[in-house]
Amino acid sequence: MSAGGWAVWGFVATALFTGLMAGSQGLGLTRMNVPFMLGTLFTPERSRAKVIGAAVHLANGWALALFYAAALRLWGGATWWRGALLGLGHAAFVLTVVMPLLPGVHPRMASEQHGPEAGRLLEPPGFLALHYGWQTPLWVVLGHLAYGLVLGHFLPGP
Amino acid sequence: MRARQPIEDHALIGDCRSAALLTRDGEVDWLCWPRFDSAPVLGSLLDPSAGGWRLAPVGRTHTSWRYLPGTNVVETTHRVPGAGSLRVSDCLTVASEGEKRRELLPEHELLRIATCEAGEVEVETSIDLRPDLGRAPGRWRDAGALGLRFESGSGLFALRSDRPLAPGAGGARGRFRLRAGETARFSLVYAGDGPAVLSPLGAAADAALLRTERFWRGWSARARYAGPFREAVVRSALALKLLAYAPSGAIIAAPTTSLPERPGGDLNWDYRYCWLRDASFTARALYGLGYQDEAESFVSWLIHTTRLTRPRLRILYDVFGRDPPPERDRPELGGYGGARPVRIGNAARDQLQLDVYGEVVDAACQFVSAGGGLDPDTARMLIGFGRYVCEAWRRPDEGIWEPRGGRTQNTYSKVLCWAALDRLLHMDLRGHLPRAPRDQFCATREAIRAHVEARGWSPALSSYTARLGGGGLDAALLLLPWYGYCPAGAPRMRATWRRISRELSAGGALLYRYPESIDAGEGAFGICSFWGAEYLALGGGTLEEAELRLERLLGHASELGLFAEEVDPGTFAGLGNFPQAFTHVGLVNAALSLENRRERRPQLRHQRAVPHARARPGGAPEARL
């Protein structure tokens, strides 16, 4: 696989994922804002957090595209359905493992055990990120599915 | 059917994620774990078969109780004639975030420590856990040194004690004797995650109690109020804090469901959710008392929780900003004092209340006035609320009191639409809302005012009326000066006060919320009564009148300083869910306004210098300060 292919399709897949999540948030289907969650790891200032978070998210997306490329290659070459399956596994991992663990590593996120002290903290996502709206897991799955589909379809095949 | 314990004869303990009610005779008869709105684990408040935990001496006792000063720890003293005296301390343990980083603590812990102070006392304890009011199966198991364990679908409950307890079919029981100086400790913990964290007993339990007392004393000492009603104000602040859900900043209306607003009647609602109508009062109470962190946390919750539905606002949300569950009856439960049905969930979620726009925007304005900043998304959202108000203010709505009889043109809702636009213009004037459609907001605001003055005022009644173009009174109209709509001393406002204080009086300083509630057999409404005192403090009466009114109202608090939603004007018993954040917020705000008046400080600072303006063609509003 060429570095150019990885860079281009990694960017496209990440942009599609981000667009789906931002669109679902804008339509009031979920309150989860991934750039904001990532950016507040670094700064409490909301506007800057979103910019930093978007950059981190893009870098993440690219880095993970490399992982997808390697995984697909080991699997016998990229196909749309293998990409989609990787995306589904990725979404399941994020929703069931990463989200519940996030309050433990995020300096500005409350845990479910927070209190009685008050403070302006991000609310915890909860299992499957359901605290951000009941449709949140659906959009997270759709986003990762789209990400995996793009990479599976456009990266070099068998 | 007579209730086992009067509503007001309960103490509230909590950990800012969950809460329990305790009776004077030593029974915890309400406990929801792990969250305020979780299915109850102990619920004998609503039905004797729904579980409770009693810890008290055997036989007849003379009992007195109190909150330890400045804390949410309850101390009950049982005097047993001819035997001795037993002191029981009850709390849900809490710790600072720093302490939690240093020490592994249970997710939730109900700690009960009984000490014999004199003589020798025979003590009995019995605990019956009934998760989900008896619907969720589970049974006790003896785990030896690890105590008794009760597993149900929602998690593990572990009960440990330094006295022998025997599990049985109906629950766990124990009976033992304590001599002067001896102590028995009981710890019930909840674990949603495994393995459970079990609290040690002995000195560690005493330390947990001291840590809890220390936390609450430190918190309550920060209350910035030095007036004559400090004890009542601080108790209200402590109660309000117990109703705050710390992980998100939300504040629930009350920790209970289905405590009746009419004795034995069917006005039984689930209040374990967050009502937007409380937003502005709650923000003012917290900012006014100097609890900046709590206030900012609450307003942040408010702003972010409404993102899923913007620009439409629902009237209530759960602690994470989601819809509360649909309302359903629990017919198998007898209800408090026979008041049925017991309801879980709340159907008011589907109502339209236009007043919530004013309340939410006013809270955001307080946040800005206290130095908070709005990011572009939030500014856009607030502007979106304004645009929605411009489009929707003429619609009928259910109004602040959530009647289930349909929509009407409520004057208070229109005034709150006016307040929403007024506060938006206020924020715009200070540069917080770039690209706000000022002309539209100004023009609509003036149109609302003209409409209210023309159709919301009745010359025949000499009063603002509950409904446009109709009659009726509404105690919420006392808030018109509160929201800056008119001065408290304005002739129309004074006339309205005279009418309300005469026709909605429930005796003394108590007020009903509207005439229909008198016919319906409801009690006097707590916060409306405090609005009366605050109206006088804001300039509707003299300082002395306001102070006297507030003092008389404080006489209706429970022995521990707590208020339900309503007060029975005949017996002065509490009615409705208990304790009620709305009532305590009303108490705090009335005391703050009174103190501002006494000290000649400005009232409701965020509403000052609001331009009562007409839109200049193509330009900024022309301020008439």
Side-chain angles (χ1 to χ4, degrees):
Chain A
M1 181 191 64
S2 72
W6 158 72
V8 168
W9 296 116
F11 177 81
V12 169
T14 308
L16 184 61
F17 174 90
T18 310
L20 273 172
M21 290 306 296
S24 60
Q25 199 209 355
L27 291 170
L29 302 169
T30 172
R31 287 191 291 128
M32 185 154 116
N33 184 331
V34 179
F36 182 57
M37 281 168 79
L38 290 174
T40 45
L41 282 163
F42 306 97
T43 173
E45 193 190 329
R46 178 175 285 272
S47 298
R48 281 190 63 212
K50 286 178 185 168
V51 175
I52 294 171
V56 171
H57 190 222
L58 188 62
N60 267 350
W62 259 327
L64 278 168
L66 205 54
F67 172 80
Y68 269 61
L72 289 167
R73 191 168 179 178
L74 285 173
W75 200 348
T79 63
W80 67 267
W81 60 269
R82 284 178 184 156
L85 281 177
L86 272 183
L88 283 177
H90 186 182
F93 181 75
V94 166
L95 288 169
T96 57
V97 179
V98 177
M99 287 296 153
L101 291 180
L102 202 53
V105 294
H106 198 303
R108 294 181 179 84
M109 184 174 278
S111 73
E112 308 258 357
Q113 275 72 52
H114 185 84
E117 282 179 40
R120 289 180 67 192
L121 293 169
L122 304 178
E123 52 188 12
F127 180 64
L128 301 181
L130 282 166
H131 292 345
Y132 299 154
W134 67 270
Q135 296 190 52
T136 304
L138 178 69
W139 288 98
V140 171
V141 167
L142 284 176
H144 284 90
L145 194 61
Y147 179 86
L149 271 171
V150 167
L151 292 175
H153 186 69
F154 290 106
L155 290 178
Chain B
M1 187 200 301
R2 196 155 169 264
R4 293 198 301 174
Q5 291 289 338
I7 289 173
E8 71 279 7
D9 219 357
H10 284 84
L12 176 70
I13 52 177
D15 57 13
C16 296
R17 287 170 288 138
S18 61
L21 288 184
L22 169 73
T23 67
R24 170 195 274 276
D25 63 5
E27 180 174 5
V28 179
D29 62 359
W30 185 252
L31 171 65
C32 298
W33 269 348
R35 253 182 12 213
F36 294 117
D37 56 350
S38 302
V41 179
L42 302 175
S44 58
L45 176 69
L46 297 179
D47 190 294
S49 69
W53 182 5
R54 191 158 190 278
L55 172 64
V58 176
R60 287 176 60 84
T61 61
H62 301 296
T63 304
S64 60
W65 64 344
R66 61 170 186 156
Y67 278 111
L68 291 180
T71 78
N72 280 315
V73 175
V74 177
E75 187 184 87
T76 310
T77 303
H78 304 273
R79 290 185 181 79
V80 186
S85 167
L86 183 77
R87 185 186 71 228
V88 182
S89 300
D90 290 291
C91 67
L92 292 191
T93 57
V94 298
S96 68
E97 295 307 309
E99 287 166 328
K100 281 192 253 181
R101 277 191 288 275
R102 290 192 296 275
E103 199 177 342
L104 188 59
L105 297 171
E107 291 172 48
H108 296 273
E109 180 184 25
L110 170 52
L111 184 63
R112 313 193 72 179
I113 298 183
T115 302
C116 182
E117 291 191 307
E120 184 174 345
V121 179
E122 185 168 21
V123 183
E124 188 172 45
T125 188
S126 61
I127 177 167
D128 297 324
L129 291 185
R130 292 281 186 272
D132 197 8
L133 298 168
R135 275 194 182 169
R139 58 188 297 273
W140 286 106
R141 188 169 61 82
D142 193 342
L146 296 177
L148 303 180
R149 298 159 78 84
F150 186 100
E151 283 207 58
S152 82
S154 67
L156 171 78
F157 302 90
L159 175 65
R160 304 183 76 212
S161 172
D162 46 19
R163 304 286 151 174
L165 293 172
R173 312 246 177 285
R175 196 167 178 147
F176 52 90
R177 299 188 78 82
L178 289 179
R179 292 195 188 86
E182 289 181 340
T183 295
R185 302 169 185 88
F186 301 84
S187 163
L188 177 68
V189 302
Y190 167 82
D193 290 329
V197 177
L198 302 177
S199 263
L201 295 168
D206 299 342
L209 179 65
L210 287 174
R211 185 185 68 221
T212 302
E213 288 177 29
R214 190 172 57 240
F215 177 87
W216 289 119
R217 282 208 182 92
W219 188 86
S220 61
R222 286 168 35 215
R224 201 174 56 198
Y225 170 83
F229 306 112
R230 183 169 169 86
E231 195 180 332
V233 168
V234 169
R235 176 51 50 205
S236 289
L238 282 161
L240 199 58
K241 176 71 175 167
L242 283 185
L243 301 178
Y245 183 69
S248 69
I251 296 180
I252 60 164
T256 55
T257 177
S258 303
L259 293 184
E261 293 169 23
R262 183 170 53 206
D266 59 353
L267 298 175
N268 318 323
W269 317 113
D270 191 348
Y271 272 29
R272 298 173 298 154
Y273 309 106
C274 317
W275 266 256
L276 293 193
R277 71 170 184 194
D278 304 5
S280 151
F281 311 120
T282 304
R284 195 283 180 112
L286 293 172
Y287 278 123
L289 290 175
Y291 289 114
Q292 193 86 5
D293 286 346
E294 280 77 6
E296 288 188 353
S297 185
F298 171 66
V299 177
S300 287
W301 172 82
L302 195 64
I303 287 171
H304 297 296
T305 205
T306 50
R307 284 178 192 268
L308 282 182
T309 57
R310 66 180 176 181
R312 290 290 303 273
L313 292 176
R314 294 195 190 281
I315 64 171
L316 72 158
Y317 295 85
D318 80 354
V319 293
F320 282 115
R322 302 165 302 192
D323 279 343
E327 190 171 283
R328 59 187 199 282
D329 294 351
R330 296 289 298 266
E332 77 277 21
L333 300 169
Y336 174 88
R340 301 176 70 188
V342 169
R343 292 186 170 102
I344 302 290
N346 199 306
R349 65 185 191 144
D350 298 323
Q351 290 192 351
L352 173 68
Q353 289 183 16
L354 290 171
D355 58 285
V356 295
Y357 290 89
E359 283 133 7
V360 169
V361 174
D362 188 273
C365 191
Q366 293 184 54
F367 170 72
V368 166
S369 296
L374 301 177
D375 65 279
D377 261 5
T378 305
R380 269 195 298 277
M381 187 179 79
L382 291 172
I383 291 170
F385 290 157
R387 288 186 199 278
Y388 180 79
V389 164
C390 289
E391 180 251 318
W393 71 272
R394 290 178 188 276
R395 289 185 198 161
D397 71 339
E398 267 88 1
I400 184 174
W401 301 123
E402 299 167 15
R404 298 196 174 185
R407 296 179 180 177
T408 183
Q409 295 286 354
N410 293 293
T411 305
Y412 178 76
S413 298
K414 309 304 175 198
V415 172
L416 269 283
C417 286
W418 176 94
L421 298 175
D422 193 70
R423 293 309 106 84
L424 288 169
L425 287 166
H426 182 111
M427 288 187 270
D428 173 50
L429 204 64
R430 279 151 186 77
H432 293 288
L433 296 180
R435 293 193 289 279
R438 292 174 197 157
D439 291 351
Q440 185 191 15
F441 287 179
C442 267
T444 309
R445 185 184 62 163
E446 296 313 309
I448 297 172
R449 176 183 281 281
H451 204 64
V452 169
E453 291 304 310
R455 303 199 60 226
W457 169 262
S458 163
L461 283 175
S462 192
S463 171
Y464 286 111
T465 55
R467 287 167 291 282
L468 296 181
L473 291 174
D474 181 353
L477 295 168
L478 295 176
L479 291 171
L480 269 52
W482 206 95
Y483 282 105
Y485 177 83
C486 62
R492 283 189 167 190
M493 203 53 233
R494 282 190 189 278
T496 301
W497 164 245
R498 282 195 294 274
R499 175 71 62 175
I500 286 176
S501 61
R502 191 167 62 240
E503 295 194 10
L504 295 185
S505 171
L510 294 170
L511 293 176
Y512 293 104
R513 51 180 165 170
Y514 47 70
E516 293 83 349
S517 66
I518 306 172
D519 304 332
E522 291 179 31
F525 212 81
I527 196 168
C528 297
S529 306
F530 285 111
W531 287 340
E534 187 163 21
Y535 166 74
L536 296 173
L538 289 174
T542 65
L543 179 67
E544 292 71 27
E545 285 174 317
E547 198 166 81
L548 180 64
R549 205 167 181 93
L550 182 55
E551 203 174 316
R552 293 173 79 174
L553 288 173
L554 294 181
H556 296 298
S558 73
E559 188 182 349
L560 297 183
L562 300 177
F563 279 92
E565 184 175 37
E566 300 180 7
V567 177
D568 186 318
T571 62
F572 302 127
L575 294 172
N577 285 304
F578 181 85
Q580 183 87 196
F582 212 26
T583 314
H584 283 284
V585 159
L587 186 161
V588 170
N589 284 334
L592 288 172
S593 290
L594 194 58
E595 197 55 12
N596 287 341
R597 171 93 176 261
R598 183 182 292 108
E599 300 296 324
R600 298 177 192 281
R601 288 194 292 254
Q603 299 280 15
L604 304 170
R605 203 181 287 266
H606 71 289
Q607 292 166 9
R608 292 177 69 220
V610 175
H612 293 280
R614 283 187 205 94
R616 275 204 310 245
E622 179 188 330
R624 290 193 284 118
L625 303 179

